Structure formats: structure tokens, C-alpha cells
Amino acid sequence: KISPSRRVPVLHDGDIVVHDSLAIAEHLAERFPEKQLWPKDARDRALARSLACEMHAGFARIQWTLVGSAAVVIGALIGAPQL
């Protein structure tokens, strides 16, 4: 099965469908509090969430950079005119 946004990752938890890695992490932390998936200390937990969000926000930029770089390389290989 795939997520409603047609992106991965997706978690099917009974009739609950959660997509996006951060949303999945939050869902699992709520579902299994005894596993302490986030740090117990509020300050440490806030830092962990901040770092996770910062990394997550950068993924799109990295993907676009890689796609753009790949297009330039492929264009050079096939002799496409440079823009």
C-alpha cells in the first residue's frame, strides 16, 4: 500500500495511515510511550525535534540539487545545449 500523497514512507497502524517520517515518529512515540522514542527530558526532546525538523526540511533542497545536477550531466552526455 502507498500513502495518500503517493509518497513514502507510510505506516499502516490498523485503520490509521500515517505518512511522512516525522509524523510516523510522533505517532509511534505516542503509541508506545514506554519505548521512549524521544528523549525524556523536555529540553533534550525539543532539541531532538528541532534537529529532526531541520534535517527533514533540507531533504527537498538536496533532492532538487541532485535532480538539477543529474539533468546537467545527462544533457552534456547527450549533447543538449547548455542554458
Side-chain angles (χ1 to χ4, degrees), residues 3-80:
S3 69
S5 67
R6 305 193 63 75
R7 297 179 182 199
V8 291
V10 63
L11 172 71
H12 294 267
D13 182 11
D15 63 345
I16 299 171
V17 178
V18 185
H19 54 98
D20 184 84
S21 53
L22 290 176
I24 291 170
E26 291 291 346
H27 175 76
L28 292 173
E30 288 177 0
R31 183 104 156 66
F32 303 101
E34 71 281 1
K35 300 294 184 184
Q36 296 180 341
L37 299 176
W38 288 111
K40 192 171 187 170
D41 179 75
R43 184 173 305 202
D44 292 343
R45 195 169 51 252
L47 176 60
R49 284 183 168 132
S50 295
L51 293 172
C53 287
E54 188 173 331
M55 282 181 31
H56 193 258
F59 288 153
R61 187 171 48 252
I62 292 168
Q63 289 171 336
W64 281 109
T65 300
L66 292 175
V67 168
S69 297
V72 169
V73 170
I74 292 168
L77 290 173
I78 65 171

